[in-house]
Each structure stands twice: as structure tokens, then as C-alpha cells.
Amino acid sequence: MAVTDIATRTYNHNFRLDPIVRSLLDTDFYKLLMLQMIRHLHPEVEATFSLINRTKTVRLADIIDEAELRAQLDHARTVRFTRKELIWLAGNSFYGKTQMFSPDFIAWLADFRLPDYDLRKVDGQYELRFAGPWTHTTMWEIPALAIVNELKSRAAMRDKGRFALDVLYARAKARLWEKVERLRDLPDLMLSDFGTRRRHGFLWQRWCVEALKEGLGSRFIGTSNVLLAMDADLEAIGTNAHELPMVAAALAEGDEALARAPYRVLEEWREHYSGNLLIALPDTFGTTAFLRNAPDWLAGWTGFRPDSAPPIEGGEQIIRWWQAHHVDPRTKLLIFSDGMDIDSIERTYRHFHGRVRMSFGWGTNLTNDFRGCDPDGASGLEPISLVCKVTSANGRPAVKLSDNPAKATGDPAEIARYLRVFGGEGRTAAAVMV
Amino acid sequence: MAVTDIATRTYNHNFRLDPIVRSLLDTDFYKLLMLQMIRHLHPEVEATFSLINRTKTVRLADIIDEAELRAQLDHARTVRFTRKELIWLAGNSFYGKTQMFSPDFIAWLADFRLPDYDLRKVDGQYELRFAGPWTHTTMWEIPALAIVNELKSRAAMRDKGRFALDVLYARAKARLWEKVERLRDLPDLMLSDFGTRRRHGFLWQRWCVEALKEGLGSRFIGTSNVLLAMDADLEAIGTNAHELPMVAAALAEGDEALARAPYRVLEEWREHYSGNLLIALPDTFGTTAFLRNAPDWLAGWTGFRPDSAPPIEGGEQIIRWWQAHHVDPRTKLLIFSDGMDIDSIERTYRHFHGRVRMSFGWGTNLTNDFRGCDPDGASGLEPISLVCKVTSANGRPAVKLSDNPAKATGDPAEIARYLRVFGGEGRTAAAVMV
């Protein structure tokens, strides 16, 4: 007969809250790299981030209790960087470099807390906005997404029996391990976890990361999750995101400055970072337009992260650009991170193997693949396409065109203007699954 | 009905070993401070450490399985400092000082592993010796003691039922909490955990430390256990130990050099450390002799750690020495660490309160007080007086006289010589309980 630890059980009964975000390091590494640069160059910019559920059929406000959501957001606002975490940030080497973060930045982080939020229900969805200094609102992206996704998971599991839960996780584990076995057949694979924002839950992400560490060995190169990187002695992985060109574009005065904005951002980046952090994200306003006007010096960077074009077409387009700049693609790196899963990883790996260096950032389909795992046949655990995007900077609307029009965000009139400035060639509509 | 996690259960069934030492930081802070100095000044000295069970009635070799003991010692030899641990050592501040450990020392630690051991059974006891460079053998003291003590605990609990174990820990927890409640009545108390070496087990020490943190708040000033200090964001506490004067004395050429050895060690110490780390341990060769010949500059140090004289008599003797040196004891610190428990802490605190600053290092009676807790009435969990002492340096015998002749160690002829050189005044025999 099993014995229960009564004190633990009683303590658990009286839980006010099982916090989802327990550490400010439970975020993506690129947020910290970007934050250091934003604080250095743009401390005065105000930026608003907004939660956007692209899967409109899932009515989040009907699923997630508002009081619970507020309690989790409020709890996240109480969390500070601990002494141990700041020491690790200051002392660890990232991408082979020591002192990636300046002592001044680390000291500033010691006082950091997440700023206030604005939450309301509109038409079955949550409108969740973070307005304030860019140096603070940017840090809400990952915890806000992790909180909403985990609350959605919890809601879907609330009425399940223990055996149903046991079978649910058994199936999800078996599924992940099948993928691991297939990935082992790709000898030069470099793969990292990019699944924090879309995860089923923190503990599940941790299980997935530990499973990849045991299952893939050195082919698993690290995780974007800074807390898991610290705790599991893994490399923290990540570079930069769409918010940098989006804010630069929003603040540009006139169409000419707008056209130059995506490259100005890269100049700012290379002032701060070097080596394998010199990765360009080409798709914010369309990859074709980006490459057509890209400066020659960009061919000296380590690589690109195509994030919304279909991986093979997007990769070929970039390879052609390198070749036109007389650069051997085998010395360059492509990082694929847009909704990848086992099939597209295998296909992309086999297509490009030997022609270019590749790395895969595996997100939603790593840390939130419970499709078909529910013994009750319910679909409440299927992942949704939830993002938290910058929607305005200093009061001016922010826009993302993307290579996939279904992923565009922003005011329609502004989108039309951006399409006029950048051109719309090469964009292909595709269903956004995750 | 309870559901069991089958994978975890099966994994546990196949355990080859439940390791006692899982981290090289699971040691006392003073070992690291001393090690840095030893490596700097005495890298060539060979020192042998030996396990000594002063509680002869407990026949350890009949209780602890030799294969299990070897497996635990062998496992400890595989453990290395992890990247996270070294980063923390380099980046954390200790006693208010940053960079307590030099980059050179940290780099050296990265390759450190515990050296070989020599184990045999003699007359119902284990002879466990560590011979080799002092820079390596010194690091065995704490893990060797922790391993032997925890194996003794495990042996005593091997045949107990689950309810007996549940009640055992319930009683031990209740007993500790009673002590905490009494300690709360001492408003200016400063108390730290010194219980690593003598602990019942690692998990129990962690429970005790967390209980003191919750129960005593700021009156609990930290722990000597470096791993627990890191994990619980507590201060790491500790300064130096008897091995420094014992080795210096063993290496001294002739009686005059022997008489000077205890003070030469302090000169070496103050070259390396300052502030609250300037704590002298007066009892290695008898406190009376030590104070009689102590240099005047020692009155400028922060304080003393009387470790074998009865606390009130020992403290009074030191206060008289300060007064003779025209120093106000209220500016000075006494650290009491010899077998303290709730009664002696209360008595000592009340005796000296307002006359001198005090701090208590609470060891065995904090982390290994299961006396009377066993529902079967057995005594297998009672703590024993187990130490791991330096017994020779460069082949010459090492000696400790102590204020309590029952705690003296070393070759009888050498003890007689030391008594001739230092004098034996002020030493009082007392039973050594822990």
C-alpha cells in the first residue's frame, strides 16, 4: 500500500497558485541579447506588445478563467532575477564568448521586474497588451505566451482521471521518442529546443529537453530556454527576432528610411555581437525584397534564419544569394525554425546535406505535440498559433509582412504602404498550423 | 487509490547506487578557503588524512558493508565541479567580497578530482586513509565523513517499515522545530549550519537548513555547506581549521619553530584573507598556551573560534585577553562551534549577551539528532564522534592537543613533546559526545 506524505499533500491542498513562471530566466535567450542592445541604443522607445491568437476557432476566453490568468500574470510580476541567476549570466560563456553581458547590464537586471499589463475579454478572446518602455515590455513576450499556453493545457486536463492523464503522457512520450529515433539517423544533425513559448507546460518542456539530451547526445546542441540551459549545463541558443526590424521600421521617417530600416538594425546588431551570433532574419518584410537590397557585407555574416518561407525554397533562395556574392554556402549556416517537425526536418536535412551547414530550432512540435494523445479523443490539447508581437512603437503602428501573408500583422493601411515600399514578390500564402 | 509512476519506480529498482556525494560543492566552505591558500603556499606538501572513530563502542565495520562503502567512495572520485558551480564560485560574493577565489584557482578546480584512498578493516573499525598532495587529500575530509555517517544511517534504517520511518522523521522534525521555537526567543542570535560532516544524510541536512531559513529568518546567517548555500541563496560560512597549525607544527624544525608555528599560520592567513575571515582558532595546542604567546596584532582580528574549551570558560578567557590588550570585546566576535545544542546555545548566548558579539556554528545536534526518535527504541541512529584528521605531513607525525585531552590526536611520544613545548595548562577533560 502506498504511503502519502501528509504534510506535502496538505500544503498542496492549500495552494493558492501553482506558478507557471518561477524564474525570469525561464525565457528565450534571444530576449536577453536583444534587451541588452535595446537598453543600450533605444532606452527611450515605448513599445506595445499584444497577444494575438491566430487560431480564431479556439475561443481562449471561454477556456481560460480570467482570475487564474490574472493570478499567473500577477505572480510573474513578483519574480526577480536571483543572485545565483545573475552570477551565472555574468560568468557563463555563451557562443564561446565570456562576458556576453556587461556588468552594467547585469546590475540593471537585478532591479528588473515585468511591467503592468492590460487585460480584457473581447469576443471570446483575450486582449492582452503590454505598454511601456521597450526595455520592459519586450520581456513579457515569452512568459505571457507560456502562461496562456499552459493555462489552456491545464483547462483541457482539468476533468481527466488519473489513468487518462497517465496514458496521455505515455502516448506523448512515446511519440517524442519515435521522433528521436528517426533523428538519430541524421548523422550531422544540429538541433535545439525552441519550444518555450508554445510549450504544453514547463515540466513537460523540461522532460522533452532531458529526453533530447539523453537521446541525441551531441546532435542536441542546446535550448533557447535560459533556465533549462543553466540547470542542465546546456548551451543557451538564440540570436534576434522580428521585433528589431519592426520597431526600426515603425520609427522610420518616410519611405526611404523605411526601406533602409531592416539593414540599419543589422548594423546595430554587429556593433554588439559577433561570430555565430551574426545571423540575419530575412523575412520580416519579405525575404525576396530583403535579399534584393541587402548590402554586400551581409555575405560575411555566419548565416540566416529563414522563418516563414517554406524551408527548401527559402533555403535555396538564400544559397543563390550567397553564390551571387561569391561565397561558398558550405561555410555558411541556415537555421530553420518555422513550425518544423520530424518530417520537415528530415526532408530539409536530406535536401541540403553537404551543400550548406544547417541547424534546426524545434518549437511547438517538440514541446506541445499531444495531437491524438488524448484517450478521450478530445482536441483541447492541440497547439494553437499564439504570438505576442510588437504592435506599436512610440505610438506608431508596427507591421510584419512575413513571407507568408497569413502571418502578417499590423494595420491594413500600413501593410499596404509597406508592400508598396518593399514589394510583395516571393510571398506565398500557406496555412499557419502552429 | 494512489497511482505509481512506473518508469520512475523501475528505474529506482535498478539503481546500482544512490550516491551520497553528488557535487564537489557538497563540502564545507572553509575547505575551499584553506585549499586556495595551501595550493598557493604549500603545493609540495604531502599530507595524510585518516578517519578516526572516537566512539569505539560503535563497530563501524560490522555495521557498514565494505562494498557499499567502496562504491560510494569510488563514486565521489568520479564527481567533478560543473560549469555552473565554477561560475558561481567565481561570481558570487563571499563575506561581502567579490572574487574571493582567483581565476587561476578556479581554473585549477576545473580539473580537480578526489585522489585515491586506502581502506581496510581492523578490529571492527574501518581504517580509511588518504595519502598524497595536501592540495588533494584535504578535500576528502568532508565527503569521507558524510559518506560514512550516511551509510551508518542507512544501515540503521534498512529493516524499518514505512510507518516506522514516517514516525522517525516526524519525531526528528518535531524536535528540530521545538529548538527553532526556543531560538526565536534570542533576539540577536546569529546562527549557522555547520552540520555537513556529521549529518544523518544529505536530504535531511537540506530539510534542516530550509527549516532554519523559514523558522529563524535573518537570525539564520548561512550554512557551511557550499552546495546548499548556492542552491538556497544563503551565505556560505566558514574560515579555517586545525589542519593548518597541525601541518605547520609537524613541519617545524625543532622546538622553537614548533612554538612559533601556530602564529606563522595566522600570518599566512592574513596575507590571503581579510575582514570577517580574520578568525583565529586558538585551541589546536591549548588555548591558554596560545593566548599567552599570541602577538599583539592578533587583537586587531575580528575574533576567535573556541572549539574545544567549555564555551563560557573559553569565552571568558578570550575576553580577558582582549581586555589585557585594551580592546573592547563588544567590537569582537566569538564563534562557538564545539558540539553546541539548544541548551548550550541558550546558556552561552545569555551569558555573553551585550558583552561580546557571538555567532553559533551548529553541527551534529542540528543535522543528526535522532536520539530517542526511533519507534523501535533502537540506538543505531545516535551520532558518533567521527573525525577525519591530518595524521602526517611529509611523513612527519601530526598532532592535535586540544583543550580537551579526550580530543587529542597523534603519536603519544609527539603529544608528550608538544605538551612540553606548549605547556598543558587550562586543558580540561570532558566527555566527547559528538
Side-chain angles (χ1 to χ4, degrees):
Chain A
M1 204 184 70
V3 171
T4 300
D5 175 344
I6 305 172
T8 302
R9 174 71 167 268
T10 307
Y11 180 78
N12 288 348
H13 273 173
N14 291 308
F15 254 23
R16 271 191 321 107
L17 185 74
D18 186 2
I20 292 171
V21 173
R22 292 164 186 256
S23 160
L24 289 176
L25 284 191
D26 184 10
T27 193
D28 276 347
F29 183 58
Y30 74 4
K31 299 303 305 195
L32 296 175
L33 291 175
M34 289 192 289
L35 180 58
Q36 176 164 256
M37 182 176 111
I38 292 166
R39 177 173 167 266
H40 184 213
L41 299 180
H42 309 288
E44 308 298 331
V45 171
E46 302 273 314
T48 299
F49 281 72
S50 308
L51 196 79
I52 301 165
N53 175 13
R54 297 191 290 221
T55 311
K56 296 288 174 220
T57 50
V58 174
R59 291 169 61 89
L60 285 175
D62 296 345
I63 294 169
I64 296 170
D65 178 68
E66 183 173 337
E68 265 190 82
L69 175 54
R70 286 186 185 276
Q72 291 290 348
L73 295 167
D74 290 343
H75 181 268
R77 293 195 62 218
T78 67
V79 179
R80 306 295 181 99
F81 288 99
T82 67
R83 204 164 70 159
K84 180 171 87 171
E85 292 171 344
L86 293 173
I87 289 167
W88 181 81
L89 276 182
N92 192 38
S93 63
F94 298 97
Y95 283 82
K97 186 175 178 303
T98 56
Q99 291 209 286
M100 180 69 84
F101 300 105
S102 71
D104 169 65
F105 178 64
I106 300 277
W108 180 83
L109 286 181
D111 294 322
F112 183 88
R113 52 178 288 191
L114 289 168
D116 210 353
Y117 62 89
D118 181 48
L119 176 68
R120 66 192 73 183
K121 282 187 185 184
V122 178
D123 195 22
Q125 299 293 342
Y126 282 115
E127 275 193 10
L128 177 55
R129 279 208 192 84
F130 310 98
W134 192 13
T135 50
H136 285 69
T137 55
T138 183
M139 288 295 282
W140 259 121
E141 180 192 4
I142 308 301
L145 291 169
I147 286 171
V148 173
N149 279 311
E150 186 159 346
L151 286 178
K152 174 176 162 294
S153 302
R154 290 185 185 180
M157 297 187 295
R158 185 164 294 138
D159 299 326
K160 297 208 178 303
R162 288 193 95 168
F163 280 95
L165 288 171
D166 219 13
V167 171
L168 173 79
Y169 283 108
R171 287 181 176 170
K173 288 174 178 179
R175 158 162 313 166
L176 177 59
W177 201 254
E178 265 173 51
K179 295 179 183 179
V180 166
E181 285 173 345
R182 284 173 59 184
L183 291 171
R184 282 175 172 164
D185 291 337
L186 310 179
D188 301 319
L189 181 71
M190 295 199 296
L191 180 136
S192 56
D193 157 42
F194 273 23
T196 302
R197 67 189 60 208
R198 296 281 182 77
R199 68 193 181 199
H200 169 78
F202 173 74
L203 294 176
W204 177 247
Q205 183 185 17
R206 195 169 70 184
W207 191 92
C208 294
V209 164
E210 287 172 354
L212 292 188
K213 192 179 170 187
E214 178 174 322
L216 292 181
S218 62
R219 275 172 271 205
F220 181 52
I221 61 171
T223 168
S224 64
N225 187 295
V226 194
L227 181 64
L228 292 176
M230 180 177 81
D231 284 343
D233 259 343
L234 289 166
E235 294 292 329
I237 304 286
T239 54
N240 53 59
H242 297 108
E243 68 183 277
L244 297 181
M246 288 172 75
V247 168
L251 298 179
E253 299 284 353
D255 290 355
E256 249 179 75
L258 174 59
R260 278 196 313 272
Y263 312 110
R264 199 162 51 70
V265 163
L266 301 179
E267 288 167 22
E268 291 180 357
W269 189 258
R270 68 176 177 179
E271 275 173 43
H272 289 79
Y273 303 111
S274 59
N276 284 335
L277 288 176
L278 294 182
I279 300 291
L281 190 60
D283 69 319
T284 315
F285 309 117
T287 298
T288 304
F290 180 87
L291 292 176
R292 188 181 57 232
N293 298 319
D296 291 340
W297 52 257
L298 195 58
W301 278 35
T302 299
F304 287 89
R305 176 161 74 91
D307 195 47
S308 55
I312 290 176
E313 291 86 329
E316 290 292 353
Q317 187 177 16
I318 291 166
I319 286 177
R320 284 194 298 276
W321 185 84
W322 275 323
Q323 287 166 337
H325 286 76
H326 312 293
V327 163
D328 182 352
R330 287 173 302 181
T331 66
K332 294 295 172 183
L333 181 65
L334 288 177
I335 299 173
F336 297 99
S337 58
D338 179 30
M340 302 304 286
D341 202 359
I342 181 69
D343 291 333
S344 57
I345 292 173
E346 284 181 344
R347 204 163 46 234
T348 307
Y349 176 92
R350 297 207 161 107
H351 179 86
F352 288 113
H353 189 241
R355 296 175 53 210
V356 64
R357 288 163 54 219
M358 275 173 286
S359 158
F360 296 90
W362 197 8
T364 317
N365 293 310
L366 166 62
T367 61
N368 202 358
D369 186 3
F370 285 74
R371 283 167 289 204
C373 292
D374 190 328
D376 306 331
S379 62
L381 285 177
E382 297 203 357
I384 57 173
S385 184
L386 190 73
V387 293
C388 184
K389 284 288 174 191
V390 61
T391 45
S392 75
N394 287 350
R396 301 158 70 134
V399 164
K400 180 185 170 192
L401 293 181
S402 170
D403 285 328
N404 179 354
K407 289 178 105 176
T409 62
D411 171 69
E414 280 294 294
I415 291 183
R417 179 182 153 237
Y418 277 58
L419 280 171
R420 212 164 53 235
V421 169
F422 292 104
E425 321 98 282
R427 295 170 81 233
T428 324
V432 179
M433 305 307 293
V434 293
Chain B
M1 204 184 73
V3 172
T4 300
D5 176 342
I6 305 172
T8 301
R9 173 72 167 269
T10 308
Y11 180 78
N12 288 348
H13 273 172
N14 290 306
F15 254 24
R16 270 191 322 110
L17 185 75
D18 186 3
I20 291 171
V21 173
R22 293 163 186 257
S23 160
L24 290 176
L25 284 190
D26 184 11
T27 192
D28 274 346
F29 183 58
Y30 74 3
K31 297 303 304 194
L32 295 177
L33 292 174
M34 289 192 290
L35 180 59
Q36 176 166 252
M37 184 176 109
I38 292 166
R39 177 174 168 266
H40 184 214
L41 299 181
H42 308 289
E44 308 298 331
V45 171
E46 301 274 314
T48 299
F49 281 71
S50 309
L51 195 79
I52 301 165
N53 176 14
R54 298 191 290 221
T55 311
K56 296 286 174 222
T57 50
V58 174
R59 292 168 61 89
L60 284 176
D62 297 344
I63 294 170
I64 295 171
D65 178 67
E66 183 174 338
E68 265 190 83
L69 176 53
R70 287 186 184 274
Q72 291 291 347
L73 295 167
D74 290 342
H75 181 268
R77 293 195 63 216
T78 69
V79 179
R80 307 295 181 99
F81 288 101
T82 68
R83 204 163 70 159
K84 181 171 88 171
E85 291 170 345
L86 293 173
I87 289 167
W88 181 81
L89 277 182
N92 192 38
S93 63
F94 298 97
Y95 283 81
K97 186 172 177 305
T98 56
Q99 292 207 285
M100 180 70 82
F101 300 104
S102 72
D104 169 64
F105 179 63
I106 300 275
W108 181 83
L109 286 181
D111 294 321
F112 182 87
R113 52 179 288 190
L114 289 169
D116 210 352
Y117 60 88
D118 180 49
L119 176 68
R120 65 193 74 182
K121 283 187 183 184
V122 177
D123 195 22
Q125 299 293 341
Y126 282 113
E127 274 193 10
L128 178 55
R129 280 209 192 82
F130 309 98
W134 192 12
T135 49
H136 285 70
T137 54
T138 182
M139 289 295 279
W140 259 120
E141 181 192 4
I142 309 300
L145 292 169
I147 285 171
V148 173
N149 278 310
E150 186 159 346
L151 286 179
K152 175 177 162 292
S153 302
R154 289 185 186 179
M157 298 188 295
R158 185 164 293 140
D159 298 325
K160 295 206 178 306
R162 289 194 94 166
F163 279 95
L165 287 171
D166 218 13
V167 170
L168 172 78
Y169 283 108
R171 287 181 176 170
K173 288 174 178 179
R175 158 161 315 164
L176 177 60
W177 201 256
E178 264 172 51
K179 296 180 183 177
V180 165
E181 284 173 345
R182 284 171 61 184
L183 291 171
R184 280 175 173 161
D185 290 337
L186 310 179
D188 301 318
L189 181 70
M190 294 199 298
L191 180 136
S192 57
D193 156 41
F194 273 22
T196 302
R197 66 190 58 209
R198 297 280 182 78
R199 68 192 181 199
H200 168 78
F202 173 75
L203 294 176
W204 178 248
Q205 184 186 17
R206 193 168 72 185
W207 191 92
C208 294
V209 164
E210 287 172 356
L212 290 188
K213 192 178 170 186
E214 179 174 322
L216 291 181
S218 62
R219 272 171 273 203
F220 181 53
I221 61 170
T223 168
S224 65
N225 187 295
V226 194
L227 181 65
L228 292 175
M230 180 177 81
D231 284 343
D233 257 344
L234 289 165
E235 293 293 331
I237 304 286
T239 55
N240 52 59
H242 298 108
E243 68 183 274
L244 296 182
M246 287 171 76
V247 169
L251 298 181
E253 300 284 353
D255 290 354
E256 249 180 75
L258 173 59
R260 278 197 312 271
Y263 312 109
R264 200 162 49 72
V265 163
L266 300 178
E267 286 167 23
E268 291 180 356
W269 188 258
R270 69 176 177 178
E271 275 172 41
H272 289 79
Y273 304 111
S274 59
N276 284 335
L277 289 176
L278 294 182
I279 299 293
L281 190 60
D283 69 320
T284 314
F285 309 117
T287 299
T288 303
F290 180 88
L291 292 176
R292 188 182 57 232
N293 299 318
D296 291 342
W297 53 256
L298 195 57
W301 278 35
T302 300
F304 287 89
R305 177 160 77 88
D307 194 48
S308 54
I312 289 175
E313 291 83 331
E316 290 292 354
Q317 187 178 15
I318 291 166
I319 286 177
R320 284 194 299 276
W321 185 84
W322 276 321
Q323 287 165 337
H325 286 76
H326 313 293
V327 163
D328 182 352
R330 287 172 303 179
T331 66
K332 294 294 171 186
L333 180 65
L334 288 177
I335 299 173
F336 297 100
S337 58
D338 178 30
M340 302 303 286
D341 201 0
I342 181 68
D343 291 333
S344 57
I345 292 173
E346 282 181 346
R347 202 163 49 235
T348 308
Y349 175 95
R350 296 208 162 105
H351 180 86
F352 288 114
H353 189 239
R355 296 175 54 212
V356 63
R357 290 162 54 220
M358 273 173 288
S359 160
F360 296 90
W362 198 9
T364 316
N365 294 309
L366 166 61
T367 61
N368 202 0
D369 186 2
F370 285 73
R371 282 167 288 207
C373 291
D374 191 329
D376 306 331
S379 62
L381 286 176
E382 296 202 357
I384 57 173
S385 186
L386 190 73
V387 292
C388 183
K389 284 286 175 192
V390 62
T391 45
S392 75
N394 287 349
R396 303 158 70 131
V399 165
K400 182 184 169 192
L401 292 180
S402 169
D403 285 329
N404 179 356
K407 289 178 107 177
T409 61
D411 171 71
E414 281 294 297
I415 291 182
R417 177 181 155 236
Y418 276 57
L419 281 171
R420 211 164 51 235
V421 169
F422 292 105
E425 321 97 285
R427 296 170 80 233
T428 324
V432 179
M433 305 306 291
V434 293

